[in-house]
Amino acid sequence: MRLFVAVFPPDDVRRDLHRRLTVAPDSGGRPSGVADGYGRPFAAPGDDRPVSPGLPRRHRGEVRLTAIDKWHVTLAFLGEVPAERLPDVERALDAVTVPKGLELRLRGGGQFGRDRSTVLWAAVDGELGPLHAQVHERLEAAGLPHDDRAFTPHLTVAYTQDAAVRRALVGYRGPSWTLHEIALVRSDPNEGYTQLRTW
């Protein structure tokens, strides 16, 4: 089974971002400020320049965003794990201390890759680094597979190169929420995501 550990923002947070990307008025053609296609943010942290929100009207109904019900922040990607090792995964996560009450917010955005390998994402404000490190340490101690890439807390909104989406993310500041739980999720190609357990 294909597994990952994630934080799912509440519905109102996801709806607010979705409105920003699909409903708001014309952005006026403002440049995105993208520096490159390798994980750099669109705007520097703390940059609160006023930006006209949303996608240009010509894009409405044309932008292929990822499904809003799948929007999440990945803490660890395990990949394929044999079903018999699921109890080991759960025991490893049992040992994680989840910082419940941690304040988080979607703010700004960035991109990974270029051209057909582009991933556009909303950035996450909040101290998720220590939680990410703890999850990885517990998985490592249990001898479980997990990705070892540098951690950039983000929520993927599109797998496409789209200047309008980038412009809509520049200056975005969504509603804050408090962390209540993390989830172990199974990803099935034909069935979507299934939350197996939360902590």
Side-chain angles (χ1 to χ4, degrees), residues 102-126:
L102 176 68
E103 185 173 347
L104 301 170
R105 183 189 302 273
L106 299 178
R107 181 176 178 176
Q111 80 177 59
F112 299 127
R114 289 183 184 276
D115 304 320
R116 293 187 179 182
S117 299
T118 297
V119 176
L120 300 181
W121 43 266
V124 183
D125 270 355

Side-chain angles (χ1 to χ4, degrees), residues 92-161:
L93 296 176
D94 283 341
V96 171
T97 302
V98 178
K100 296 182 180 181
L102 176 68
E103 185 173 347
L104 301 170
R105 183 189 302 273
L106 299 178
R107 181 176 178 176
Q111 80 177 59
F112 299 127
R114 289 183 184 276
D115 304 320
R116 293 187 179 182
S117 299
T118 297
V119 176
L120 300 181
W121 43 266
V124 183
D125 270 355
E127 297 299 322
L128 280 175
L131 176 59
H132 164 265
Q134 190 183 168
V135 169
H136 278 251
E137 288 168 4
R138 300 304 184 186
L139 295 173
E140 179 77 24
L144 291 160
H146 57 89
D147 60 321
D148 58 0
R149 291 172 291 181
F151 182 53
T152 301
H154 67 280
L155 183 155
T156 298
V157 298
Y159 292 100
T160 184
Q161 179 64 265

Side-chain angles (χ1 to χ4, degrees), residues 38-52:
Y38 297 96
R40 299 281 182 89
F42 295 148
D47 186 349
D48 290 319
R49 293 171 299 168
V51 178
S52 299

